mmCIF file of all heavy atoms in Angstrom:
data_model
loop_
_atom_site.group_PDB
_atom_site.id
_atom_site.type_symbol
_atom_site.label_atom_id
_atom_site.label_comp_id
_atom_site.label_asym_id
_atom_site.label_seq_id
_atom_site.Cartn_x
_atom_site.Cartn_y
_atom_site.Cartn_z
ATOM 1 N N ASN D 1 72.335 101.869 101.015
ATOM 2 C CA ASN D 1 71.329 100.817 101.176
ATOM 3 C C ASN D 1 71.286 100.021 99.873
ATOM 4 O O ASN D 1 71.077 100.593 98.806
ATOM 5 C CB ASN D 1 69.964 101.436 101.459
ATOM 6 C CG ASN D 1 68.898 100.402 101.737
ATOM 7 O OD1 ASN D 1 69.190 99.228 101.945
ATOM 8 N ND2 ASN D 1 67.664 100.828 101.734
ATOM 9 N N MET D 2 71.505 98.715 99.959
ATOM 10 C CA MET D 2 71.482 97.861 98.771
ATOM 11 C C MET D 2 70.683 96.600 99.074
ATOM 12 O O MET D 2 70.776 96.026 100.152
ATOM 13 C CB MET D 2 72.900 97.467 98.360
ATOM 14 C CG MET D 2 72.966 96.563 97.147
ATOM 15 S SD MET D 2 74.634 96.364 96.471
ATOM 16 C CE MET D 2 75.469 95.474 97.787
ATOM 17 N N MET D 3 69.893 96.207 98.090
ATOM 18 C CA MET D 3 69.160 94.939 98.168
ATOM 19 C C MET D 3 69.493 94.146 96.909
ATOM 20 O O MET D 3 69.432 94.690 95.796
ATOM 21 C CB MET D 3 67.661 95.183 98.250
ATOM 22 C CG MET D 3 66.850 93.921 98.328
ATOM 23 S SD MET D 3 65.120 94.351 98.569
ATOM 24 C CE MET D 3 64.362 92.819 98.105
ATOM 25 N N MET D 4 69.850 92.907 97.092
ATOM 26 C CA MET D 4 70.198 92.035 95.969
ATOM 27 C C MET D 4 69.354 90.766 96.044
ATOM 28 O O MET D 4 69.096 90.254 97.131
ATOM 29 C CB MET D 4 71.670 91.622 96.029
ATOM 30 C CG MET D 4 72.638 92.759 96.108
ATOM 31 S SD MET D 4 74.317 92.171 96.385
ATOM 32 C CE MET D 4 74.835 91.986 94.697
ATOM 33 N N ILE D 5 68.956 90.285 94.892
ATOM 34 C CA ILE D 5 68.359 88.959 94.799
ATOM 35 C C ILE D 5 69.390 88.115 94.062
ATOM 36 O O ILE D 5 69.790 88.443 92.947
ATOM 37 C CB ILE D 5 67.022 88.980 94.050
ATOM 38 C CG1 ILE D 5 66.037 89.900 94.777
ATOM 39 C CG2 ILE D 5 66.457 87.559 93.930
ATOM 40 C CD1 ILE D 5 64.750 90.140 94.038
ATOM 41 N N VAL D 6 69.848 87.070 94.721
ATOM 42 C CA VAL D 6 70.908 86.237 94.156
ATOM 43 C C VAL D 6 70.455 84.780 94.099
ATOM 44 O O VAL D 6 69.561 84.361 94.821
ATOM 45 C CB VAL D 6 72.224 86.355 94.969
ATOM 46 C CG1 VAL D 6 72.713 87.798 95.006
ATOM 47 C CG2 VAL D 6 72.072 85.812 96.380
ATOM 48 N N ASP D 7 71.126 84.032 93.226
ATOM 49 C CA ASP D 7 70.878 82.596 93.092
ATOM 50 C C ASP D 7 72.117 81.875 93.591
ATOM 51 O O ASP D 7 73.188 81.980 92.984
ATOM 52 C CB ASP D 7 70.592 82.264 91.626
ATOM 53 C CG ASP D 7 70.349 80.784 91.385
ATOM 54 O OD1 ASP D 7 70.345 80.003 92.364
ATOM 55 O OD2 ASP D 7 70.168 80.410 90.215
ATOM 56 N N ILE D 8 71.975 81.161 94.712
ATOM 57 C CA ILE D 8 73.136 80.484 95.308
ATOM 58 C C ILE D 8 73.253 79.015 94.872
ATOM 59 O O ILE D 8 74.112 78.293 95.368
ATOM 60 C CB ILE D 8 73.133 80.591 96.853
ATOM 61 C CG1 ILE D 8 71.965 79.854 97.480
ATOM 62 C CG2 ILE D 8 73.154 82.047 97.286
ATOM 63 C CD1 ILE D 8 72.050 79.742 98.996
ATOM 64 N N SER D 9 72.427 78.585 93.924
ATOM 65 C CA SER D 9 72.438 77.171 93.536
ATOM 66 C C SER D 9 73.758 76.741 92.886
ATOM 67 O O SER D 9 74.081 75.559 92.909
ATOM 68 C CB SER D 9 71.251 76.849 92.614
ATOM 69 O OG SER D 9 71.319 77.592 91.426
ATOM 70 N N GLY D 10 74.536 77.665 92.342
ATOM 71 C CA GLY D 10 75.813 77.310 91.731
ATOM 72 C C GLY D 10 76.975 77.257 92.710
ATOM 73 O O GLY D 10 78.084 76.860 92.365
ATOM 74 N N SER D 11 76.713 77.629 93.953
ATOM 75 C CA SER D 11 77.778 77.678 94.951
ATOM 76 C C SER D 11 77.929 76.336 95.666
ATOM 77 O O SER D 11 76.945 75.641 95.915
ATOM 78 C CB SER D 11 77.466 78.759 95.993
ATOM 79 O OG SER D 11 78.480 78.810 96.974
ATOM 80 N N SER D 12 79.154 76.030 96.028
ATOM 81 C CA SER D 12 79.405 74.817 96.810
ATOM 82 C C SER D 12 79.223 75.090 98.308
ATOM 83 O O SER D 12 79.221 74.172 99.119
ATOM 84 C CB SER D 12 80.816 74.295 96.550
ATOM 85 O OG SER D 12 81.781 75.266 96.932
ATOM 86 N N GLN D 13 79.037 76.359 98.666
ATOM 87 C CA GLN D 13 78.858 76.737 100.066
ATOM 88 C C GLN D 13 77.389 76.574 100.484
ATOM 89 O O GLN D 13 76.489 76.787 99.690
ATOM 90 C CB GLN D 13 79.252 78.210 100.275
ATOM 91 C CG GLN D 13 80.670 78.543 99.916
ATOM 92 C CD GLN D 13 81.669 77.979 100.914
ATOM 93 O OE1 GLN D 13 81.325 77.514 102.008
ATOM 94 N NE2 GLN D 13 82.934 77.994 100.531
ATOM 95 N N GLU D 14 77.190 76.226 101.725
ATOM 96 C CA GLU D 14 75.848 76.165 102.300
ATOM 97 C C GLU D 14 75.356 77.585 102.589
ATOM 98 O O GLU D 14 76.167 78.498 102.795
ATOM 99 C CB GLU D 14 75.858 75.358 103.604
ATOM 100 C CG GLU D 14 76.211 73.901 103.424
ATOM 101 C CD GLU D 14 75.120 73.130 102.699
ATOM 102 O OE1 GLU D 14 73.929 73.443 102.907
ATOM 103 O OE2 GLU D 14 75.449 72.231 101.927
ATOM 104 N N PHE D 15 74.038 77.752 102.646
ATOM 105 C CA PHE D 15 73.447 79.054 102.942
ATOM 106 C C PHE D 15 74.034 79.652 104.225
ATOM 107 O O PHE D 15 74.385 80.838 104.263
ATOM 108 C CB PHE D 15 71.921 78.938 103.064
ATOM 109 C CG PHE D 15 71.272 80.199 103.550
ATOM 110 C CD1 PHE D 15 70.971 81.220 102.667
ATOM 111 C CD2 PHE D 15 70.985 80.371 104.895
ATOM 112 C CE1 PHE D 15 70.387 82.399 103.115
ATOM 113 C CE2 PHE D 15 70.401 81.545 105.354
ATOM 114 C CZ PHE D 15 70.104 82.556 104.465
ATOM 115 N N ALA D 16 74.131 78.869 105.284
ATOM 116 C CA ALA D 16 74.620 79.370 106.573
ATOM 117 C C ALA D 16 76.041 79.904 106.467
ATOM 118 O O ALA D 16 76.379 80.925 107.073
ATOM 119 C CB ALA D 16 74.542 78.272 107.635
ATOM 120 N N THR D 17 76.871 79.243 105.680
ATOM 121 C CA THR D 17 78.251 79.681 105.494
ATOM 122 C C THR D 17 78.299 80.991 104.718
ATOM 123 O O THR D 17 79.021 81.919 105.087
ATOM 124 C CB THR D 17 79.072 78.601 104.750
ATOM 125 O OG1 THR D 17 79.026 77.399 105.528
ATOM 126 C CG2 THR D 17 80.509 79.032 104.541
ATOM 127 N N ILE D 18 77.519 81.070 103.654
ATOM 128 C CA ILE D 18 77.456 82.300 102.850
ATOM 129 C C ILE D 18 77.004 83.458 103.730
ATOM 130 O O ILE D 18 77.607 84.533 103.731
ATOM 131 C CB ILE D 18 76.510 82.112 101.648
ATOM 132 C CG1 ILE D 18 77.094 81.094 100.668
ATOM 133 C CG2 ILE D 18 76.231 83.451 100.959
ATOM 134 C CD1 ILE D 18 76.105 80.587 99.621
ATOM 135 N N SER D 19 75.958 83.239 104.495
ATOM 136 C CA SER D 19 75.423 84.274 105.370
ATOM 137 C C SER D 19 76.467 84.745 106.383
ATOM 138 O O SER D 19 76.668 85.943 106.576
ATOM 139 C CB SER D 19 74.184 83.735 106.088
ATOM 140 O OG SER D 19 73.611 84.725 106.889
ATOM 141 N N LYS D 20 77.138 83.807 107.008
ATOM 142 C CA LYS D 20 78.156 84.132 108.012
ATOM 143 C C LYS D 20 79.326 84.881 107.388
ATOM 144 O O LYS D 20 79.801 85.878 107.940
ATOM 145 C CB LYS D 20 78.643 82.847 108.689
ATOM 146 C CG LYS D 20 79.684 83.073 109.753
ATOM 147 C CD LYS D 20 80.124 81.771 110.379
ATOM 148 C CE LYS D 20 81.259 82.014 111.348
ATOM 149 N NZ LYS D 20 81.824 80.775 111.855
ATOM 150 N N GLU D 21 79.799 84.423 106.235
ATOM 151 C CA GLU D 21 80.944 85.066 105.600
ATOM 152 C C GLU D 21 80.602 86.474 105.109
ATOM 153 O O GLU D 21 81.422 87.390 105.227
ATOM 154 C CB GLU D 21 81.481 84.191 104.467
ATOM 155 C CG GLU D 21 82.150 82.950 104.992
ATOM 156 C CD GLU D 21 82.666 81.995 103.924
ATOM 157 O OE1 GLU D 21 82.335 82.166 102.728
ATOM 158 O OE2 GLU D 21 83.396 81.057 104.306
ATOM 159 N N LEU D 22 79.400 86.661 104.585
ATOM 160 C CA LEU D 22 78.997 88.012 104.178
ATOM 161 C C LEU D 22 78.856 88.927 105.386
ATOM 162 O O LEU D 22 79.224 90.107 105.333
ATOM 163 C CB LEU D 22 77.697 87.963 103.368
ATOM 164 C CG LEU D 22 77.858 87.541 101.918
ATOM 165 C CD1 LEU D 22 76.498 87.277 101.269
ATOM 166 C CD2 LEU D 22 78.634 88.587 101.111
ATOM 167 N N GLU D 23 78.343 88.404 106.478
ATOM 168 C CA GLU D 23 78.242 89.191 107.706
ATOM 169 C C GLU D 23 79.635 89.625 108.174
ATOM 170 O O GLU D 23 79.826 90.770 108.603
ATOM 171 C CB GLU D 23 77.545 88.363 108.784
ATOM 172 C CG GLU D 23 76.944 89.191 109.887
ATOM 173 C CD GLU D 23 76.042 88.366 110.786
ATOM 174 O OE1 GLU D 23 75.120 87.709 110.284
ATOM 175 O OE2 GLU D 23 76.271 88.405 112.014
ATOM 176 N N GLN D 24 80.618 88.729 108.063
ATOM 177 C CA GLN D 24 81.991 89.057 108.437
ATOM 178 C C GLN D 24 82.578 90.140 107.526
ATOM 179 O O GLN D 24 83.262 91.047 107.993
ATOM 180 C CB GLN D 24 82.866 87.800 108.401
ATOM 181 C CG GLN D 24 82.560 86.832 109.516
ATOM 182 C CD GLN D 24 83.265 85.490 109.358
ATOM 183 O OE1 GLN D 24 83.723 85.126 108.279
ATOM 184 N NE2 GLN D 24 83.338 84.747 110.454
ATOM 185 N N ILE D 25 82.278 90.054 106.232
ATOM 186 C CA ILE D 25 82.725 91.087 105.294
ATOM 187 C C ILE D 25 82.111 92.428 105.694
ATOM 188 O O ILE D 25 82.786 93.460 105.693
ATOM 189 C CB ILE D 25 82.366 90.716 103.837
ATOM 190 C CG1 ILE D 25 83.248 89.558 103.367
ATOM 191 C CG2 ILE D 25 82.504 91.920 102.910
ATOM 192 C CD1 ILE D 25 82.822 88.941 102.043
ATOM 193 N N GLY D 26 80.830 92.415 106.029
ATOM 194 C CA GLY D 26 80.170 93.630 106.485
ATOM 195 C C GLY D 26 80.861 94.235 107.699
ATOM 196 O O GLY D 26 81.086 95.449 107.757
ATOM 197 N N ASP D 27 81.225 93.394 108.656
ATOM 198 C CA ASP D 27 81.938 93.865 109.849
ATOM 199 C C ASP D 27 83.264 94.514 109.464
ATOM 200 O O ASP D 27 83.642 95.548 110.010
ATOM 201 C CB ASP D 27 82.197 92.708 110.821
ATOM 202 C CG ASP D 27 80.924 92.202 111.499
ATOM 203 O OD1 ASP D 27 79.893 92.913 111.467
ATOM 204 O OD2 ASP D 27 80.964 91.081 112.040
ATOM 205 N N GLU D 28 83.966 93.914 108.508
ATOM 206 C CA GLU D 28 85.266 94.438 108.059
ATOM 207 C C GLU D 28 85.145 95.809 107.405
ATOM 208 O O GLU D 28 86.028 96.649 107.563
ATOM 209 C CB GLU D 28 85.912 93.478 107.055
ATOM 210 C CG GLU D 28 86.363 92.166 107.630
ATOM 211 C CD GLU D 28 86.749 91.160 106.551
ATOM 212 O OE1 GLU D 28 86.904 91.552 105.373
ATOM 213 O OE2 GLU D 28 86.886 89.966 106.894
ATOM 214 N N ILE D 29 84.057 96.040 106.664
ATOM 215 C CA ILE D 29 83.924 97.296 105.925
ATOM 216 C C ILE D 29 82.944 98.271 106.572
ATOM 217 O O ILE D 29 82.679 99.342 106.030
ATOM 218 C CB ILE D 29 83.565 97.049 104.438
ATOM 219 C CG1 ILE D 29 82.222 96.320 104.281
ATOM 220 C CG2 ILE D 29 84.684 96.301 103.737
ATOM 221 C CD1 ILE D 29 81.779 96.122 102.840
ATOM 222 N N GLY D 30 82.404 97.910 107.719
ATOM 223 C CA GLY D 30 81.574 98.834 108.489
ATOM 224 C C GLY D 30 80.131 98.971 108.035
ATOM 225 O O GLY D 30 79.522 100.030 108.204
ATOM 226 N N VAL D 31 79.584 97.901 107.461
ATOM 227 C CA VAL D 31 78.179 97.895 107.083
ATOM 228 C C VAL D 31 77.521 96.638 107.646
ATOM 229 O O VAL D 31 78.198 95.706 108.056
ATOM 230 C CB VAL D 31 77.981 97.944 105.539
ATOM 231 C CG1 VAL D 31 78.519 99.242 104.968
ATOM 232 C CG2 VAL D 31 78.601 96.745 104.857
ATOM 233 N N ASN D 32 76.192 96.625 107.617
ATOM 234 C CA ASN D 32 75.436 95.469 108.106
ATOM 235 C C ASN D 32 74.961 94.684 106.890
ATOM 236 O O ASN D 32 74.220 95.221 106.065
ATOM 237 C CB ASN D 32 74.253 95.981 108.936
ATOM 238 C CG ASN D 32 73.492 94.880 109.606
ATOM 239 O OD1 ASN D 32 73.331 93.795 109.075
ATOM 240 N ND2 ASN D 32 72.984 95.182 110.786
ATOM 241 N N ILE D 33 75.385 93.433 106.772
ATOM 242 C CA ILE D 33 74.977 92.568 105.658
ATOM 243 C C ILE D 33 74.174 91.406 106.222
ATOM 244 O O ILE D 33 74.644 90.684 107.106
ATOM 245 C CB ILE D 33 76.179 92.036 104.855
ATOM 246 C CG1 ILE D 33 77.016 93.192 104.311
ATOM 247 C CG2 ILE D 33 75.698 91.116 103.727
ATOM 248 C CD1 ILE D 33 78.266 92.759 103.544
ATOM 249 N N LYS D 34 72.972 91.240 105.687
ATOM 250 C CA LYS D 34 72.088 90.149 106.112
ATOM 251 C C LYS D 34 71.613 89.360 104.899
ATOM 252 O O LYS D 34 71.375 89.922 103.831
ATOM 253 C CB LYS D 34 70.861 90.687 106.845
ATOM 254 C CG LYS D 34 71.180 91.387 108.143
ATOM 255 C CD LYS D 34 71.708 90.418 109.171
ATOM 256 C CE LYS D 34 72.023 91.151 110.464
ATOM 257 N NZ LYS D 34 72.849 90.367 111.345
ATOM 258 N N CYS D 35 71.460 88.053 105.074
ATOM 259 C CA CYS D 35 70.947 87.166 104.032
ATOM 260 C C CYS D 35 69.677 86.501 104.540
ATOM 261 O O CYS D 35 69.613 86.103 105.707
ATOM 262 C CB CYS D 35 71.954 86.063 103.707
ATOM 263 S SG CYS D 35 73.495 86.643 103.019
ATOM 264 N N GLN D 36 68.701 86.379 103.649
ATOM 265 C CA GLN D 36 67.479 85.641 103.973
ATOM 266 C C GLN D 36 67.090 84.818 102.765
ATOM 267 O O GLN D 36 67.180 85.292 101.625
ATOM 268 C CB GLN D 36 66.317 86.591 104.274
ATOM 269 C CG GLN D 36 66.318 87.160 105.654
ATOM 270 C CD GLN D 36 65.034 87.945 105.894
ATOM 271 O OE1 GLN D 36 64.776 88.912 105.204
ATOM 272 N NE2 GLN D 36 64.255 87.501 106.854
ATOM 273 N N ARG D 37 66.647 83.611 103.020
ATOM 274 C CA ARG D 37 66.104 82.809 101.928
ATOM 275 C C ARG D 37 64.846 83.498 101.412
ATOM 276 O O ARG D 37 64.092 84.094 102.169
ATOM 277 C CB ARG D 37 65.769 81.410 102.419
ATOM 278 C CG ARG D 37 66.988 80.615 102.834
ATOM 279 C CD ARG D 37 66.552 79.223 103.252
ATOM 280 N NE ARG D 37 67.650 78.467 103.770
ATOM 281 C CZ ARG D 37 68.532 77.796 103.037
ATOM 282 N NH1 ARG D 37 68.436 77.802 101.724
ATOM 283 N NH2 ARG D 37 69.506 77.111 103.606
ATOM 284 N N GLU D 38 64.626 83.410 100.104
ATOM 285 C CA GLU D 38 63.493 84.098 99.484
ATOM 286 C C GLU D 38 62.163 83.717 100.129
ATOM 287 O O GLU D 38 61.333 84.587 100.399
ATOM 288 C CB GLU D 38 63.451 83.800 97.983
ATOM 289 C CG GLU D 38 62.320 84.504 97.278
ATOM 290 C CD GLU D 38 62.258 84.173 95.802
ATOM 291 O OE1 GLU D 38 62.549 83.016 95.419
ATOM 292 O OE2 GLU D 38 61.905 85.071 95.032
ATOM 293 N N GLU D 39 61.949 82.448 100.407
ATOM 294 C CA GLU D 39 60.664 82.026 100.954
ATOM 295 C C GLU D 39 60.427 82.596 102.346
ATOM 296 O O GLU D 39 59.296 82.937 102.709
ATOM 297 C CB GLU D 39 60.503 80.502 100.946
ATOM 298 C CG GLU D 39 61.545 79.739 101.754
ATOM 299 C CD GLU D 39 62.809 79.380 100.978
ATOM 300 O OE1 GLU D 39 63.038 79.901 99.869
ATOM 301 O OE2 GLU D 39 63.591 78.575 101.509
ATOM 302 N N ILE D 40 61.481 82.763 103.147
ATOM 303 C CA ILE D 40 61.346 83.370 104.472
ATOM 304 C C ILE D 40 61.063 84.861 104.330
ATOM 305 O O ILE D 40 60.195 85.414 104.999
ATOM 306 C CB ILE D 40 62.626 83.142 105.314
ATOM 307 C CG1 ILE D 40 62.932 81.652 105.457
ATOM 308 C CG2 ILE D 40 62.513 83.836 106.664
ATOM 309 C CD1 ILE D 40 61.886 80.852 106.168
ATOM 310 N N PHE D 41 61.800 85.510 103.432
ATOM 311 C CA PHE D 41 61.598 86.935 103.173
ATOM 312 C C PHE D 41 60.149 87.193 102.749
ATOM 313 O O PHE D 41 59.496 88.103 103.248
ATOM 314 C CB PHE D 41 62.575 87.416 102.103
ATOM 315 C CG PHE D 41 62.540 88.896 101.858
ATOM 316 C CD1 PHE D 41 63.316 89.747 102.619
ATOM 317 C CD2 PHE D 41 61.740 89.441 100.874
ATOM 318 C CE1 PHE D 41 63.295 91.114 102.413
ATOM 319 C CE2 PHE D 41 61.699 90.805 100.647
ATOM 320 C CZ PHE D 41 62.484 91.639 101.414
#
């Protein structure tokens, strides 16, 4: 179980893309990866 607080302001990727790509990485390695904007969380 891991929780990270990250700053995506330096990335050229949109939040939706980051979320989708991390979810795909999770699928590849057998874990569930979810992203939420801080204000929604």
Side-chain angles (χ1 to χ4, degrees):
N1 184 12
M2 179 169 67
M3 180 175 162
M4 305 173 90
I5 300 173
V6 301
D7 179 3
I8 65 171
S9 62
S11 179
S12 61
Q13 301 288 348
E14 295 291 325
F15 172 84
T17 301
I18 293 166
S19 183
K20 181 180 175 187
E21 290 178 349
L22 281 170
E23 201 169 306
Q24 289 171 341
I25 289 169
D27 290 344
E28 291 169 13
I29 61 177
V31 296
N32 186 324
I33 303 178
K34 296 292 180 196
C35 296
Q36 280 187 299
R37 294 182 185 277
E38 181 182 36
E39 60 272 13
I40 302 298
F41 186 87

